Amino acid sequence: MILGIGTDLANIERIAATLDRFGDRFRQRVFTEVEQAKAERRKDVAGTYAKRWAAKEACSKALGTGLSMGISWKDMAVANLPSGQPVMHLTGWAADRLAQMTPPGHEAIVHVTLTDDHPWAQAFVVIEARPVADANGSLPKET
């Protein structure tokens, strides 16, 4: 079952201007060390940051809160699998909110996809709840 859906569109030039103006202060406030390392290795630094910014905004919307209620930018982090597929990791308040949203007997899966076409970066996040089998391999009954 779908628990939440979020999307965001970020302007890469706006993120580039913010990086120029605020530099490390902006990077350290919004992005984890892993996200910063990934972006700084890329040819399109601003585009990489913009996609991750959009993913964090989209995730906060999928959580049903937007960036309010105590959620921190760094509570939502984008990493990549060896295949390059992006994955969203939640910690802190975001992880707590996800746990509150997840029905008993289910696990939450956060799906994220990123794209960019200068000057735009876009992200979609879908939060899915999947039934978890008990020790006997039985799935919970739908009510």
Side-chain angles (χ1 to χ4, degrees):
M1 88 181 65
I2 303 300
L3 299 179
I5 300 172
T7 186
D8 192 67
L9 184 66
N11 185 288
I12 296 169
E13 293 170 0
R14 180 174 155 251
I15 297 296
T18 302
L19 288 165
D20 288 343
R21 184 170 179 199
F22 297 104
D24 285 341
R25 186 170 143 215
F26 172 65
R27 284 180 191 88
Q28 292 173 8
R29 178 175 168 252
V30 176
F31 302 101
T32 66
E33 289 181 17
V34 171
E35 290 172 314
Q36 290 177 52
K38 173 82 172 184
E40 297 299 326
R41 286 192 311 265
R42 302 295 294 270
K43 182 178 178 183
D44 183 9
V45 173
T48 302
Y49 278 122
K51 286 186 281 190
R52 279 144 181 78
W53 171 279
K56 291 168 186 272
E57 287 274 7
C59 185
S60 71
K61 293 170 185 174
L63 289 168
T65 64
L67 285 160
S68 64
M69 299 177 60
I71 201 166
S72 165
W73 288 102
K74 289 185 176 182
D75 286 348
M76 303 165 289
V78 178
N80 294 86
L81 298 176
S83 66
Q85 177 184 347
V87 292
M88 181 71 70
H89 297 285
L90 303 182
T91 59
W93 190 93
D96 293 344
R97 172 69 180 143
L98 183 63
Q100 292 169 359
M101 294 171 62
T102 306
H106 290 73
E107 65 177 340
I109 310 295
V110 180
H111 304 276
V112 61
T113 188
L114 309 172
T115 191
D116 65 288
D117 187 5
H118 197 84
W120 301 106
Q122 187 173 33
F124 287 94
V125 171
V126 175
I127 301 174
E128 172 190 13
R130 291 185 188 161
V132 176
D134 64 18
N136 297 323
S138 299
L139 293 174
K141 295 183 181 186
E142 296 292 327
T143 56

